[in-house]
Amino acid sequence: MTPRPEGPPPPWAREGGEGKAPLPGQGPVVAAAVVIGMVLLGCQLWLLTVALDLYLAGEGGKILLIALVSGAIALGGGAMWVLLNRRPRVQRLTTDESGRHIRSFGDYE
């Protein structure tokens, strides 16, 4: 048996224990989101340098538009974070004591 790595446990082990592993196929989606997030962060840094350049050139009035674009990028990143952290609700068929099927809705476990 391989030794357990040091450090904090993964998020699904901390929050709910057993049955909270990532959904199948979620790894590539998260990797793509990280790449998109890095590109958007690069865009924000570029916008910051443009805003600073305009400010030092004495054209501070044009900075407002750049700040709005940067804020929209930040809100988009926050929306991506929310979308990636949500769990889908799935419909399950369970049985009661008599063996009848009962529909129940619950979080994915």
Side-chain angles (χ1 to χ4, degrees):
M1 186 159 87
T2 60
R4 187 178 172 126
E6 294 296 323
W12 62 86
R14 274 185 303 220
E15 292 172 3
E18 296 296 321
K20 293 287 187 182
L23 299 174
Q26 192 176 17
V29 172
V30 171
V34 167
V35 169
I36 291 171
M38 291 175 66
V39 168
L40 291 176
L41 184 62
C43 289
Q44 280 192 307
L45 288 173
W46 177 76
L47 286 172
L48 178 66
T49 58
V50 169
L52 183 60
D53 188 42
L54 286 173
Y55 178 75
L56 292 176
E59 299 180 21
K62 298 178 182 178
I63 295 177
L64 180 62
L65 178 62
I66 294 173
L68 290 175
V69 171
S70 180
I73 291 173
L75 286 175
M80 287 292 285
W81 180 266
V82 169
L83 286 175
L84 287 174
N85 283 332
R86 71 182 184 91
R87 292 258 184 196
R89 292 178 55 90
V90 294
Q91 180 179 358
R92 298 190 184 170
L93 292 177
T94 58
T95 57
D96 62 1
E97 294 82 22
S98 65
R100 293 182 312 168
H101 287 292
I102 301 172
R103 292 178 184 253
S104 67
F105 294 90
D107 291 331
Y108 181 83
E109 293 180 7

